[in-house]
Amino acid sequence: MDWLQVVVLAVVQGVTEFLPISSSAHLILVPVLTAWDDQGLAFDVALHIGSLAAVILYFRHEIFRMVSSSLGAIQGKGVDEDAKLALWVVVATLPVCVFGFIGRDLIADHMRSTLIIGISLIAFGLLLGYADWKKRGSRSEYHMRIRDVLIIGFAQALALIPGTSRSGITITAALLVGMSREGAARFSFLLSIPVIVLAGGLEVVGLISAPESVDWPAMFVGTILSGISAYLCIHYFLVVIKKLGMQPFVVYRVLFGAWLLWFFHF
């Protein structure tokens, strides 16, 4: 890997992992627009480590409270709002685990096409725009009911469809059940932690079963750049949606999806 490839892939991964614009839609363009070889599983693992470190660092205080309260609840000290939020993260992660296990081969073999990605970008982008415009409320991530959590969890499973965007569909579902923009985004980011861990774990299993040479300097730089870009993305996304809402991302998704359809299919 040359250093330009390392920088581009790391920044694209770090930024698109958390914006509601689909990382798969952007990463598919890299081999199309460049002559770069596939970066390999080891580098993918490094990028996931960077993104995971960024979200954990950004929400370190919330995560500490959630873990502490959960341990307290296990010891019989009662369930407070932080312990309940930790439980909601677990519950909302279960559907994507189940559907990911069942449909992994189908998705890998038949759904990673520019046609599906383009349609998903547009369709789920418009749904995000509708949810933000018509349905959002004022509840935070600490004021969810089990019904809300299940809806968000099953919506997250739709992110297995390339082009949907995991953050995009979970934020959409959260807005549809009456959460605020900030609450929806924060819960989506917290949900990313177990999902990234699971995705990275699968890549590690693949790496163990098919060992490959490791470019350690590239992995180190990729991890750092992915982490920095992801951290900045989370911070500024939360700032932007307070002022502008989700509509700029909706416009971007529709235009990007239309371009993909035109470029590859017309």
Side-chain angles (χ1 to χ4, degrees):
M1 294 177 65
D2 61 47
W3 288 111
L4 178 61
Q5 183 179 5
V6 171
V7 172
V8 170
L9 290 175
V11 172
V12 169
Q13 166 68 26
V15 171
T16 60
E17 181 71 39
F18 297 108
L19 290 182
I21 56 176
S22 176
S23 58
S24 61
H26 289 77
L27 291 174
I28 197 174
L29 289 180
V30 173
V32 172
L33 300 177
T34 69
W36 293 334
D37 295 329
D38 182 80
Q39 66 269 20
L41 274 177
F43 192 69
D44 285 342
V45 170
L47 298 186
H48 276 107
I49 291 173
S51 298
L52 179 63
V55 70
I56 290 175
L57 180 61
Y58 194 90
F59 290 100
R60 60 192 181 279
H61 300 301
E62 291 86 345
I63 293 170
F64 178 78
R65 293 197 304 269
M66 289 163 63
V67 172
S68 298
S69 294
S70 297
L71 292 175
I74 293 173
Q75 296 169 0
K77 297 179 181 179
V79 178
D80 62 12
E81 61 179 11
D82 289 303
K84 185 177 289 186
L85 180 59
L87 175 62
W88 289 161
V89 169
V90 173
V91 171
T93 303
L94 295 177
V96 74
C97 295
V98 173
F99 287 102
F101 179 78
I102 294 173
R104 181 174 56 183
D105 294 336
L106 172 66
I107 294 165
D109 295 339
H110 302 290
M111 300 188 71
R112 300 188 67 84
S113 71
T114 52
L115 178 62
I116 290 177
I117 289 174
I119 293 172
S120 297
L121 277 168
I122 296 171
F124 289 110
L126 292 174
L127 184 61
L128 172 62
Y130 170 77
D132 184 54
W133 182 37
K134 287 288 189 180
K135 293 294 184 178
R136 76 175 187 275
S138 58
R139 290 188 290 126
S140 75
E141 66 272 30
Y142 289 102
H143 299 92
M144 292 186 293
R145 302 163 298 221
I146 183 62
R147 169 181 168 274
D148 305 329
V149 175
L150 290 174
I151 289 173
I152 296 169
F154 279 100
Q156 183 170 231
L158 292 174
L160 294 167
I161 302 171
T164 301
S165 170
R166 191 210 60 82
S167 60
I169 195 62
T170 51
I171 289 172
T172 298
L175 292 171
L176 287 173
V177 300
M179 292 178 65
S180 68
R181 290 166 175 162
E182 296 86 350
R186 285 194 298 266
F187 188 61
S188 174
F189 293 147
L190 290 172
L191 279 180
S192 73
I193 295 173
V195 172
I196 294 174
V197 169
L198 291 170
L202 288 175
E203 290 177 342
V204 169
V205 170
L207 188 60
I208 293 173
S209 61
E212 59 183 47
S213 60
V214 176
D215 184 347
W216 290 108
M219 286 188 64
F220 177 76
V221 173
T223 301
I224 297 300
L225 289 178
S226 174
I228 292 173
S229 57
Y231 188 94
L232 292 174
C233 172
I234 293 170
H235 174 75
Y236 286 107
F237 178 71
L238 292 171
V239 172
V240 167
I241 61 174
K242 289 181 181 179
K243 299 179 179 179
L244 301 178
M246 302 294 173
Q247 302 309 318
F249 303 100
V250 174
V251 173
Y252 177 82
R253 285 182 63 119
V254 171
L255 292 177
F256 184 32
W259 180 83
L260 280 179
L261 295 176
W262 172 80
F263 186 82
F264 288 100
H265 298 282
F266 295 101

Coordinates of all heavy atoms in Angstrom, one line a residue, residues 149-220:
V149 N -36.9 0.8 21.5 CA -35.6 0.1 21.4 C -35.7 -1.0 20.3 O -34.8 -1.2 19.5 CB -35.2 -0.5 22.7 CG1 -33.9 -1.3 22.6 CG2 -35.0 0.7 23.7
L150 N -36.8 -1.8 20.3 CA -37.0 -2.9 19.4 C -37.1 -2.3 18.0 O -36.5 -2.9 17.0 CB -38.2 -3.7 19.8 CG -38.0 -4.5 21.0 CD1 -39.4 -5.2 21.4 CD2 -36.9 -5.6 20.9
I151 N -37.8 -1.2 17.8 CA -38.0 -0.6 16.5 C -36.6 -0.2 15.9 O -36.2 -0.5 14.8 CB -38.9 0.5 16.5 CG1 -40.4 0.0 16.7 CG2 -38.9 1.4 15.2 CD1 -41.4 1.2 16.9
I152 N -35.8 0.5 16.8 CA -34.5 0.9 16.4 C -33.6 -0.3 16.1 O -32.8 -0.3 15.1 CB -33.9 1.8 17.4 CG1 -34.7 3.1 17.6 CG2 -32.4 2.1 17.1 CD1 -34.3 3.9 18.8
G153 N -33.7 -1.3 16.9 CA -32.9 -2.5 16.7 C -33.2 -3.3 15.4 O -32.3 -3.6 14.7
F154 N -34.5 -3.4 15.1 CA -34.8 -4.1 13.9 C -34.5 -3.2 12.7 O -34.1 -3.7 11.6 CB -36.3 -4.5 13.9 CG -36.6 -5.8 14.6 CD1 -37.0 -5.8 15.9 CD2 -36.3 -7.0 14.0 CE1 -37.3 -6.9 16.6 CE2 -36.5 -8.2 14.7 CZ -37.0 -8.2 16.0
A155 N -34.6 -1.9 12.8 CA -34.2 -1.0 11.8 C -32.7 -1.1 11.5 O -32.2 -1.1 10.4 CB -34.5 0.4 12.1
Q156 N -31.9 -1.3 12.6 CA -30.4 -1.4 12.4 C -30.1 -2.7 11.5 O -29.1 -2.7 10.8 CB -29.7 -1.6 13.8 CG -28.2 -1.6 13.6 CD -27.5 -1.5 15.0 OE1 -26.6 -0.7 15.1 NE2 -27.9 -2.3 16.0
A157 N -30.9 -3.7 11.6 CA -30.7 -4.9 10.8 C -30.8 -4.6 9.3 O -30.2 -5.2 8.5 CB -31.7 -6.0 11.2
L158 N -31.6 -3.5 9.0 CA -31.7 -3.1 7.6 C -30.4 -2.6 7.0 O -30.2 -2.6 5.8 CB -32.8 -2.1 7.4 CG -34.2 -2.5 7.6 CD1 -35.2 -1.3 7.6 CD2 -34.7 -3.5 6.6
A159 N -29.5 -2.2 7.9 CA -28.2 -1.6 7.5 C -27.3 -2.7 6.9 O -26.3 -2.4 6.3 CB -27.5 -1.0 8.7
L160 N -27.8 -4.0 7.0 CA -27.0 -5.1 6.3 C -27.2 -4.9 4.8 O -26.4 -5.5 4.0 CB -27.6 -6.4 6.7 CG -27.3 -6.8 8.2 CD1 -28.2 -8.0 8.6 CD2 -25.8 -7.1 8.4
I161 N -28.2 -4.2 4.3 CA -28.4 -3.9 2.9 C -27.4 -2.8 2.5 O -27.5 -1.7 3.1 CB -29.8 -3.4 2.6 CG1 -30.8 -4.5 3.0 CG2 -30.0 -3.1 1.1 CD1 -32.3 -4.0 2.9
P162 N -26.5 -3.0 1.7 CA -25.5 -2.0 1.3 C -26.1 -0.7 0.8 O -27.1 -0.7 0.0 CB -24.7 -2.7 0.2 CG -24.8 -4.2 0.4 CD -26.2 -4.3 0.9
G163 N -25.6 0.4 1.3 CA -26.1 1.7 0.9 C -27.1 2.3 1.9 O -27.5 3.4 1.8
T164 N -27.6 1.4 2.8 CA -28.6 1.9 3.8 C -28.0 2.9 4.8 O -28.6 3.9 5.1 CB -29.2 0.7 4.5 OG1 -29.8 -0.2 3.6 CG2 -30.2 1.2 5.5
S165 N -26.8 2.6 5.3 CA -26.1 3.3 6.4 C -26.6 2.9 7.8 O -27.8 3.2 8.1 CB -26.2 4.8 6.2 OG -25.7 5.5 7.4
R166 N -25.8 2.3 8.6 CA -26.2 1.9 9.9 C -26.6 3.1 10.7 O -27.6 3.1 11.4 CB -25.0 1.1 10.6 CG -25.4 0.4 11.9 CD -24.2 0.3 12.8 NE -23.8 1.7 13.2 CZ -24.3 2.5 14.1 NH1 -25.4 2.1 14.8 NH2 -23.8 3.7 14.4
S167 N -25.7 4.1 10.7 CA -26.1 5.3 11.5 C -27.3 6.0 11.0 O -28.2 6.5 11.7 CB -24.9 6.3 11.5 OG -24.6 6.7 10.3
G168 N -27.4 6.0 9.6 CA -28.6 6.7 9.0 C -29.9 6.0 9.4 O -30.9 6.7 9.7
I169 N -30.0 4.7 9.3 CA -31.2 4.0 9.6 C -31.6 4.0 11.1 O -32.8 4.0 11.4 CB -31.2 2.5 9.0 CG1 -32.6 2.0 8.9 CG2 -30.3 1.6 9.8 CD1 -33.6 2.7 8.0
T170 N -30.6 3.9 11.9 CA -30.9 3.9 13.4 C -31.3 5.3 13.8 O -32.3 5.5 14.6 CB -29.7 3.5 14.2 OG1 -28.5 4.2 13.8 CG2 -29.4 2.0 14.0
I171 N -30.7 6.4 13.2 CA -31.2 7.7 13.5 C -32.6 7.9 13.0 O -33.4 8.5 13.7 CB -30.2 8.8 12.9 CG1 -28.9 8.7 13.7 CG2 -30.8 10.2 13.0 CD1 -27.8 9.6 13.1
T172 N -32.9 7.4 11.8 CA -34.2 7.5 11.2 C -35.2 6.9 12.1 O -36.3 7.5 12.4 CB -34.2 6.9 9.8 OG1 -33.3 7.5 8.9 CG2 -35.7 6.9 9.2
A173 N -35.0 5.7 12.5 CA -35.9 5.0 13.4 C -36.1 5.7 14.7 O -37.3 5.8 15.2 CB -35.5 3.5 13.7
A174 N -35.0 6.2 15.3 CA -35.1 6.9 16.6 C -36.0 8.2 16.4 O -36.8 8.6 17.3 CB -33.7 7.3 17.1
L175 N -35.8 8.9 15.3 CA -36.6 10.1 15.0 C -38.1 9.7 14.9 O -39.0 10.4 15.3 CB -36.1 10.8 13.8 CG -34.7 11.5 13.9 CD1 -34.3 12.0 12.5 CD2 -34.7 12.7 14.9
L176 N -38.3 8.6 14.2 CA -39.7 8.2 13.9 C -40.5 7.8 15.2 O -41.7 8.0 15.3 CB -39.7 7.0 13.0 CG -39.4 7.3 11.5 CD1 -39.3 6.0 10.7 CD2 -40.5 8.2 10.9
V177 N -39.7 7.4 16.3 CA -40.4 7.1 17.5 C -40.4 8.3 18.5 O -40.9 8.1 19.6 CB -39.7 5.9 18.2 CG1 -39.8 4.6 17.3 CG2 -38.3 6.2 18.6
G178 N -40.0 9.4 18.0 CA -40.1 10.7 18.8 C -38.9 11.1 19.5 O -39.1 11.9 20.5
M179 N -37.8 10.7 19.2 CA -36.6 11.2 19.9 C -36.1 12.4 19.2 O -36.4 12.8 18.1 CB -35.5 10.1 19.8 CG -35.8 8.9 20.7 SD -34.5 7.6 20.6 CE -33.1 8.4 21.4
S180 N -35.3 13.2 19.9 CA -34.7 14.4 19.4 C -33.5 14.0 18.5 O -33.0 12.9 18.5 CB -34.1 15.3 20.5 OG -33.0 14.6 21.2
R181 N -33.1 15.0 17.7 CA -31.9 14.8 16.8 C -30.7 14.3 17.6 O -30.0 13.3 17.2 CB -31.6 16.0 16.0 CG -32.6 16.4 15.0 CD -32.4 17.8 14.5 NE -33.3 18.1 13.4 CZ -33.6 19.4 13.0 NH1 -33.0 20.4 13.6 NH2 -34.4 19.6 12.0
E182 N -30.4 15.1 18.7 CA -29.2 14.8 19.4 C -29.3 13.4 20.1 O -28.4 12.6 20.2 CB -28.9 15.9 20.5 CG -28.6 17.2 19.9 CD -29.9 18.0 19.5 OE1 -31.0 17.5 19.6 OE2 -29.7 19.2 19.2
G183 N -30.5 13.1 20.7 CA -30.7 11.8 21.4 C -30.6 10.7 20.4 O -30.0 9.6 20.7
A184 N -31.2 10.9 19.2 CA -31.1 9.8 18.2 C -29.7 9.6 17.8 O -29.3 8.4 17.6 CB -32.0 10.2 17.0
A185 N -28.9 10.6 17.5 CA -27.5 10.5 17.1 C -26.7 9.8 18.2 O -25.9 8.9 17.9 CB -27.0 11.8 16.7
R186 N -26.9 10.3 19.4 CA -26.0 9.7 20.5 C -26.3 8.2 20.7 O -25.4 7.4 20.9 CB -26.3 10.5 21.8 CG -25.6 11.8 21.9 CD -25.6 12.4 23.3 NE -26.9 12.6 23.8 CZ -27.6 13.7 23.7 NH1 -27.1 14.8 23.2 NH2 -28.8 13.8 24.2
F187 N -27.6 7.8 20.6 CA -27.9 6.4 20.8 C -27.4 5.6 19.6 O -26.9 4.5 19.8 CB -29.4 6.2 20.9 CG -29.8 4.8 21.3 CD1 -29.4 4.2 22.5 CD2 -30.6 4.0 20.4 CE1 -29.7 2.9 22.8 CE2 -30.9 2.7 20.7 CZ -30.5 2.2 21.9
S188 N -27.4 6.2 18.4 CA -26.9 5.5 17.3 C -25.4 5.3 17.4 O -24.8 4.2 17.1 CB -27.1 6.3 16.0 OG -26.5 5.8 14.9
F189 N -24.7 6.3 17.9 CA -23.2 6.1 18.1 C -22.9 5.1 19.2 O -22.0 4.3 19.0 CB -22.6 7.5 18.5 CG -22.7 8.5 17.4 CD1 -22.8 9.9 17.7 CD2 -22.6 8.2 16.1 CE1 -22.8 10.8 16.7 CE2 -22.6 9.1 15.1 CZ -22.7 10.4 15.4
L190 N -23.7 5.1 20.3 CA -23.5 4.0 21.3 C -23.7 2.6 20.7 O -23.0 1.7 21.0 CB -24.4 4.3 22.5 CG -24.0 5.5 23.4 CD1 -25.1 5.7 24.4 CD2 -22.7 5.3 24.0
L191 N -24.7 2.5 19.9 CA -25.0 1.2 19.2 C -23.9 0.8 18.3 O -23.7 -0.4 18.0 CB -26.3 1.3 18.4 CG -27.6 1.2 19.1 CD1 -28.8 1.3 18.1 CD2 -27.7 -0.1 19.9
S192 N -23.1 1.7 17.8 CA -22.0 1.4 16.9 C -20.9 0.6 17.6 O -20.2 -0.2 16.9 CB -21.4 2.6 16.3 OG -20.6 3.3 17.2
I193 N -20.8 0.7 18.9 CA -19.7 0.0 19.6 C -19.8 -1.5 19.5 O -18.8 -2.1 19.0 CB -19.7 0.5 21.1 CG1 -19.3 2.0 21.1 CG2 -18.6 -0.3 21.9 CD1 -19.4 2.6 22.5
P194 N -20.9 -2.1 19.9 CA -21.0 -3.6 19.8 C -20.9 -4.0 18.3 O -20.4 -5.1 18.0 CB -22.3 -4.0 20.5 CG -23.1 -2.7 20.5 CD -22.1 -1.6 20.6
V195 N -21.5 -3.2 17.4 CA -21.5 -3.6 16.0 C -20.1 -3.6 15.4 O -19.7 -4.5 14.7 CB -22.4 -2.7 15.2 CG1 -22.3 -2.9 13.7 CG2 -23.9 -2.8 15.6
I196 N -19.3 -2.6 15.7 CA -18.0 -2.5 15.2 C -17.1 -3.6 15.8 O -16.3 -4.3 15.2 CB -17.3 -1.1 15.6 CG1 -18.0 0.0 14.8 CG2 -15.8 -1.2 15.2 CD1 -17.5 1.4 15.2
V197 N -17.4 -3.9 17.1 CA -16.7 -5.0 17.8 C -17.0 -6.4 17.1 O -16.1 -7.2 16.8 CB -17.0 -5.1 19.3 CG1 -16.5 -6.4 19.9 CG2 -16.5 -3.9 20.0
L198 N -18.2 -6.6 16.7 CA -18.6 -7.8 16.1 C -18.1 -7.9 14.7 O -17.5 -8.9 14.2 CB -20.2 -7.9 16.0 CG -20.8 -8.2 17.4 CD1 -22.4 -8.0 17.2 CD2 -20.5 -9.5 17.9
A199 N -18.2 -6.8 13.9 CA -17.6 -6.8 12.5 C -16.1 -7.0 12.5 O -15.6 -7.7 11.7 CB -18.0 -5.4 11.9
G200 N -15.4 -6.3 13.5 CA -14.0 -6.4 13.6 C -13.6 -7.9 14.0 O -12.6 -8.4 13.5
G201 N -14.4 -8.5 14.9 CA -14.2 -9.8 15.3 C -14.3 -10.8 14.1 O -13.4 -11.7 14.0
L202 N -15.3 -10.6 13.3 CA -15.4 -11.5 12.1 C -14.2 -11.4 11.2 O -13.7 -12.3 10.6 CB -16.7 -11.2 11.3 CG -18.0 -11.6 12.0 CD1 -19.2 -11.1 11.2 CD2 -18.0 -13.1 12.1
E203 N -13.7 -10.1 11.0 CA -12.5 -9.9 10.2 C -11.3 -10.6 10.8 O -10.4 -11.1 10.1 CB -12.3 -8.4 10.0 CG -13.3 -7.8 9.1 CD -13.1 -6.3 8.9 OE1 -12.4 -5.7 9.8 OE2 -13.7 -5.7 8.0
V204 N -11.2 -10.5 12.1 CA -10.0 -11.2 12.8 C -10.1 -12.7 12.6 O -9.0 -13.3 12.3 CB -10.0 -10.8 14.3 CG1 -9.0 -11.7 15.1 CG2 -9.7 -9.4 14.6
V205 N -11.3 -13.2 12.7 CA -11.4 -14.7 12.4 C -11.0 -15.0 11.0 O -10.3 -16.0 10.8 CB -12.9 -15.1 12.6 CG1 -13.1 -16.6 12.2 CG2 -13.3 -15.0 14.1
G206 N -11.4 -14.2 10.1 CA -11.0 -14.4 8.7 C -9.5 -14.2 8.5 O -8.8 -15.0 7.7
L207 N -8.9 -13.3 9.2 CA -7.5 -13.1 9.2 C -6.7 -14.3 9.7 O -5.6 -14.7 9.2 CB -7.1 -11.8 9.9 CG -5.7 -11.3 9.8 CD1 -5.3 -11.0 8.3 CD2 -5.5 -10.0 10.6
I208 N -7.2 -14.8 10.8 CA -6.5 -16.0 11.5 C -6.6 -17.2 10.5 O -5.6 -18.0 10.4 CB -7.2 -16.3 12.8 CG1 -6.9 -15.2 13.8 CG2 -6.7 -17.6 13.4 CD1 -7.7 -15.3 15.1
S209 N -7.8 -17.4 9.9 CA -7.9 -18.6 9.0 C -7.2 -18.4 7.7 O -6.8 -19.4 7.1 CB -9.4 -18.8 8.7 OG -10.0 -17.7 8.0
A210 N -6.9 -17.2 7.3 CA -6.1 -17.0 6.1 C -5.1 -15.9 6.3 O -5.3 -14.7 5.9 CB -7.1 -16.5 4.9
P211 N -4.0 -16.3 7.0 CA -3.0 -15.3 7.4 C -2.4 -14.5 6.1 O -2.3 -15.1 5.1 CB -1.9 -16.1 8.1 CG -2.6 -17.4 8.4 CD -3.6 -17.6 7.4
E212 N -2.0 -13.3 6.3 CA -1.5 -12.5 5.3 C -0.3 -11.7 5.9 O -0.3 -11.4 7.1 CB -2.5 -11.6 4.6 CG -3.2 -10.6 5.6 CD -4.3 -9.8 4.9 OE1 -5.1 -10.4 4.2 OE2 -4.3 -8.6 5.1
S213 N 0.5 -11.2 5.0 CA 1.6 -10.3 5.5 C 1.0 -9.0 6.0 O 0.0 -8.5 5.4 CB 2.6 -10.1 4.3 OG 2.0 -9.5 3.2
V214 N 1.7 -8.4 7.0 CA 1.1 -7.2 7.6 C 2.1 -6.1 7.4 O 3.3 -6.2 7.7 CB 0.9 -7.5 9.1 CG1 0.5 -6.2 9.8 CG2 -0.1 -8.6 9.3
D215 N 1.6 -5.0 6.9 CA 2.4 -3.8 6.7 C 2.1 -2.9 8.0 O 1.2 -2.1 8.1 CB 1.9 -3.0 5.5 CG 2.7 -1.8 5.2 OD1 3.5 -1.3 6.1 OD2 2.6 -1.2 4.1
W216 N 3.0 -3.1 9.0 CA 2.7 -2.5 10.3 C 2.7 -1.0 10.3 O 1.9 -0.4 11.0 CB 3.7 -3.1 11.4 CG 3.5 -4.5 11.7 CD1 4.3 -5.6 11.3 CD2 2.4 -5.1 12.5 NE1 3.7 -6.8 11.8 CE2 2.6 -6.5 12.5 CE3 1.4 -4.5 13.1 CZ2 1.7 -7.3 13.2 CZ3 0.5 -5.3 13.8 CH2 0.7 -6.7 13.8
P217 N 3.6 -0.3 9.6 CA 3.5 1.1 9.6 C 2.2 1.6 9.0 O 1.6 2.6 9.5 CB 4.7 1.5 8.7 CG 5.7 0.4 8.9 CD 4.9 -0.8 9.0
A218 N 1.8 1.0 7.9 CA 0.5 1.4 7.3 C -0.7 1.1 8.3 O -1.6 2.0 8.4 CB 0.3 0.6 6.0
M219 N -0.6 0.0 9.0 CA -1.7 -0.3 9.9 C -1.7 0.8 11.1 O -2.8 1.2 11.5 CB -1.5 -1.7 10.5 CG -1.9 -2.8 9.5 SD -1.9 -4.4 10.3 CE -3.2 -4.2 11.5
F220 N -0.6 1.1 11.6 CA -0.5 2.1 12.7 C -1.0 3.4 12.2 O -1.9 4.0 12.9 CB 1.0 2.2 13.1 CG 1.1 3.3 14.2 CD1 0.8 3.0 15.5 CD2 1.7 4.5 13.9 CE1 0.9 4.0 16.5 CE2 1.9 5.5 14.9 CZ 1.5 5.2 16.2

